[in-house]
Amino acid sequence: MSDQLIIFDTTLRDGEQSPGASMTKDEKLRIARQLERLRVDVIEAGFAASSNGDFDAVKTIADHIKDSTVCSLARANDRDIGRAAEALAGARRGRIHTFIATSPLHMEKKLRMTPDQVFEQARLAVRFARNLCGDIEFSPEDGYRSDPDFLCRVLEAVIAEGATTINIPDTVGYAIPELYGNFIKTLRERIPNSDQAIWSVHCHNDLGMAVANSLAGVKIGGARQVECTINGLGERAGNSSLEEVVMAVRTRRDYFGLEVGIDTTQIVPASRMVSQTTGFVVQPNKAVVGANAFAHASGIHQDGVLKARDTYEIMRAEDVGWSANKIVLGKLSGRNAFKQRLQELGVEMASEAEVNAAFARFKDLADRKSEIFDEDIIALVGDESVTSEQEHFRLVALSQRSETGERPHAKVTFFAGAKEVTAEADGNGPVDASLKAIEAHVQSGAEMLLYSVNAITSGSTESQGEVTFRLQHGGRVVNGVGSDPDIVVASAKAYLAALNKLQGNVERTSAQW
Ligand code: KIV
Ligand code: ZN
């Protein structure tokens, strides 16, 4: 058996299924590029047949990503599989991941199909997919709650049809590590052609055991692929967290005896990018990527670490990409230094015009903030409210007045399409007043689900504020992110960014909208 563990990242597919985590095509491509820098083996880019937007995102990622395999999910039917193959046509290495539910509950209540019908559909789907692509993954959805005899029958048949990876999902997060590991071991022992496929684990975190279950599937069951997401993003309690799986296998190589191809120094940048894009904040005590993961507060611990680092540290912060806030650029930095820093940070700009626009924003920021950190630069290039001239709503200027005992007032000037508008309103606070001013003109009718403010760099009130709004309208949920040293301005930018996303697909609810 191979001693290489394949890391299959599904942040852009299963992670995105988390309510409120939906991403635009550009955001997905940016994250896919970071996953490629992280050197994940497989990127599940989406579910091509589910919508035109998802199709475009999978296709764009397949066309741009060169070092990782790009995968699309597909239900076990010809249309879905055909769409996946079409979206993946430009990929250097593509994979179709097809699935059908096999548990009694799902077959009877959800699919309303007999086990024989499911068996036949799975077999024919893999046969069809294999004619379109050489790399086929098959998942029996709710596999862990399926009857083992039936599962053996299905899996033996799909391997015979050419499935190259067999993934066993614990779809509802019901498994216990030892039981899940043994479940996979038994399947592999009982299925005569099991050695012709790579076995994979896919665990959800409903009981907080997704990572433990995945690792048991590897250690006890002999799986050699783990499906996971950055920050454990995913539906309900999320998926297995990539950073925890990778660092467990790497830190305890003595126990697992496995290699992972991941560049671990890209873990924290990936975590930040996903958190910033989705608005899902990482809890401070989250393993590996939480702000406190390497902070020693107690005197005894600090004393120990100063004397010998390994007294209390089992991993090195720099190995997972934590760097102390570094002042990288300032007011006097030139365009070349800025461009070089963008390259070092792995930020690709489509044209010189984009570099110029980003440099102008950098200069503007440097005028207001004396120390510019890497995190500021990443926020600056990712700030959707100002990055694209094509955006419908763009902030031009904001002024606000607030005083103890007085009702705050805001005046906001912004572009709505080609037209520059100025609107004013009072509110409970300056942020509320600014949003009310924008809404006085836009009248979006959107419901606000989340408003969060974070400091981009810790330890100073000089930090830029990074604001996320989550808005819901017409059955869609979107996030808008904005950053600025002034959190009222950051809030207005984030709100306009969210409106742009809603505006992209939403029926107009008023003449202006
Ligand atoms: O959780 C699950 O069952 C899935 C499958 C589609 C692999 O995400
Ligand atoms: Zn899943």
Side-chain angles (χ1 to χ4, degrees), residues 10 13-14 17 169-171 202-204 227 235 239:
T10 183
R13 197 279 297 171
D14 218 349
Q17 278 174 224
D170 177 22
T171 303
H202 178 111
C203 298
H204 282 266
E227 302 201 349
E235 262 183 305
N239 286 62

Side-chain angles (χ1 to χ4, degrees), residues 304-501:
V305 169
L306 286 175
K307 286 177 177 145
R309 222 172 150 162
D310 53 2
T311 48
Y312 287 100
E313 278 189 6
I314 58 165
M315 299 171 269
R316 294 188 319 170
E318 55 269 37
D319 287 351
V320 296
W322 282 107
S323 56
N325 293 337
K326 269 189 307 182
I327 304 168
V328 288
L329 295 172
K331 205 176 165 155
L332 299 176
S333 306
R335 186 181 177 282
N336 282 346
F338 176 71
K339 199 174 163 189
Q340 189 185 334
R341 196 64 205 145
L342 287 180
Q343 274 161 6
E344 285 161 6
L345 289 168
V347 177
E348 288 172 40
M349 295 259 142
S351 62
E352 283 302 304
E354 250 187 46
V355 177
N356 290 342
F359 183 61
R361 292 200 301 280
F362 161 74
K363 280 292 191 191
D364 177 48
L365 182 63
D367 274 343
R368 293 179 296 143
K369 188 172 186 291
S370 54
E371 300 171 334
I372 308 280
F373 301 98
D374 283 346
E375 290 84 345
D376 292 314
I377 295 180
I378 289 169
L380 182 127
V381 293
D383 194 331
E384 309 137 314
S385 59
V386 286
T387 44
S388 172
E389 296 278 309
Q390 287 123 39
E391 294 294 12
H392 187 79
F393 297 114
R394 268 178 302 133
L395 183 69
V396 176
L398 184 152
S399 63
Q400 51 87 10
R401 201 180 56 240
S402 65
E403 204 179 317
T404 316
E406 294 290 320
R407 193 158 163 78
H409 180 86
K411 178 174 164 188
V412 187
T413 303
F414 57 101
F415 275 106
K419 196 167 140 211
E420 189 174 301
V421 290
T422 297
E424 299 190 42
D426 288 347
N428 285 345
V431 173
D432 188 46
S434 305
L435 267 53
K436 287 202 165 110
I438 294 171
E439 274 299 323
H441 176 80
V442 175
Q443 296 175 26
S444 71
E447 185 189 347
M448 194 180 300
L449 302 182
L450 172 95
Y451 170 61
S452 89
V453 187
N454 283 294
I456 287 182
T457 43
S458 51
S460 159
T461 50
E462 268 219 348
S463 171
Q464 286 200 88
E466 182 176 76
V467 173
T468 304
F469 274 108
R470 186 168 304 147
L471 301 184
Q472 177 169 342
H473 189 272
R476 291 182 67 229
V477 178
V478 297
N479 288 316
V481 180
S483 56
D484 198 273
D486 179 335
I487 58 165
V488 183
V489 174
S491 301
K493 286 179 177 178
Y495 194 73
L496 291 172
L499 290 180
N500 279 328
K501 287 189 186 167

Side-chain angles (χ1 to χ4, degrees), residues 8 10 13-14 17 44 47 73-74 97-100 106 137-143 167-173 202-204 227 235-236 239:
F8 175 115
T10 183
R13 197 279 297 171
D14 218 349
Q17 278 174 224
E44 188 163 51
F47 184 170
L73 188 69
H97 176 191
T98 187
F99 74 100
I100 188 165
H106 279 226
E137 174 168 331
F138 176 77
S139 288
E141 191 191 4
D142 206 17
N167 179 47
I168 307 298
D170 177 22
T171 303
V172 291
H202 178 111
C203 298
H204 282 266
E227 302 201 349
E235 262 183 305
R236 308 184 308 277
N239 286 62

